Amino acid sequence: MRLVVCFAILLLTLGGCKRSTGSRSPLQPKPSPSPASNDIAAPKFDACALLTKEEIQTIQGSAITDTKSSENADGVFRVSQCYFAAAESDRSVSLSVTQAKAGGKGSRSPRDYWNETFGRYREGEKENESEKKEKEADRAGGTREREEKRPPKKISGVGEEGFWSGNRFGGALYVLKKETIVRVSVGGPDNEETKIDKSKALAQKALGRLP
């Protein structure tokens, strides 16, 4: 009798071992999924690759001795910049490219920002009351105040749309192409019209190399 009882206990023990190795306890955590491949950060955009040193030297008349690139990003936009240092420092050139940030939050696009900034300065658009008041204030003020508040000037023949923002001492050309905004600023003693022409020439070359 004792032998039968021991044999029965042995069978029960072996059966329990088989069940434990063939199933997983409900309390055991499931394996963690592997990270998603789309979490990889977007590659840096090199604005310095949009212009060559030779092109700038031809337009500015001064050799480019160095380039410095940088990039800033917020929740919506990515701004890539390049500073082209000239042998004559006052003839250096600055280039920046504003694009939508990959995976950025929010519904504003570079084109939306462009329309908010320059939309009211398009030719043929009706002047609003705030602009009228600004002009009246400019007339009441001196030449310096008028220079500081001078509205952007529409520039044709470059990109989808272009505007020059500045005064007789300096400024920058802003150009829109699809969902990209390009800004070009050239130094030097040239007058405003010459700087606009030089900025247009450089902007056209940069736009042609945009991906």
Side-chain angles (χ1 to χ4, degrees):
M1 183 68 180
R2 183 177 300 175
L3 181 61
V4 173
V5 173
C6 290
F7 185 75
I9 293 173
L10 179 60
L11 289 176
L12 290 174
T13 302
L14 291 174
C17 291
K18 289 181 179 179
R19 285 193 298 271
S20 65
T21 56
S23 62
R24 180 175 52 84
S25 169
L27 297 178
Q28 183 179 346
K30 296 180 180 180
S32 300
S34 58
S37 59
N38 58 4
D39 290 339
I40 300 174
K44 182 178 179 180
F45 181 86
D46 185 9
C48 294
L50 299 182
L51 293 173
T52 68
K53 294 180 179 180
E54 293 74 19
E55 289 169 344
I56 298 175
Q57 180 176 346
T58 299
I59 292 173
Q60 280 290 76
S62 181
I64 300 302
T65 59
D66 191 19
T67 60
K68 297 179 181 178
S69 64
S70 62
E71 186 173 280
N72 297 306
D74 57 17
V76 181
F77 302 130
R78 176 177 69 176
V79 181
S80 306
Q81 301 171 318
C82 185
Y83 179 75
F84 297 87
E88 299 173 63
S89 59
D90 64 339
R91 292 185 178 272
S92 298
V93 172
S94 175
L95 172 70
S96 69
V97 179
T98 300
Q99 298 173 312
K101 181 182 176 183
K105 301 177 182 179
S107 58
R108 290 177 72 217
S109 67
R111 186 177 289 272
D112 293 331
Y113 176 76
W114 178 273
N115 290 329
E116 293 168 7
T117 305
F118 298 110
R120 60 180 175 154
Y121 300 112
R122 292 189 177 103
E123 293 176 353
E125 293 198 1
K126 187 176 180 181
E127 185 179 58
N128 58 38
E129 290 300 320
S130 62
E131 289 172 329
K132 289 180 181 179
K133 291 179 180 180
E134 286 180 4
K135 287 188 176 181
E136 291 174 359
D138 290 344
R139 295 190 191 100
T143 304
R144 182 177 179 182
E145 285 77 6
R146 287 196 297 272
E147 279 289 338
E148 292 176 349
K149 295 183 179 180
R150 191 172 67 171
K153 177 181 179 180
K154 186 171 175 62
I155 304 298
S156 60
V158 59
E160 293 180 37
E161 195 172 38
F163 284 92
W164 173 264
S165 179
N167 52 42
R168 57 195 175 94
F169 300 108
L173 175 66
Y174 296 82
V175 180
L176 175 69
K177 181 180 179 180
K178 296 182 179 179
E179 289 296 335
T180 299
I181 299 173
V182 172
R183 177 189 181 276
V184 179
S185 178
V186 300
D190 301 311
N191 59 34
E192 183 177 82
E193 289 303 316
T194 300
K195 287 185 176 181
I196 290 175
D197 291 339
K198 288 184 173 183
S199 297
K200 282 180 63 175
L202 292 173
Q204 287 170 336
K205 293 182 182 299
L207 292 173
R209 295 190 178 103
L210 284 174

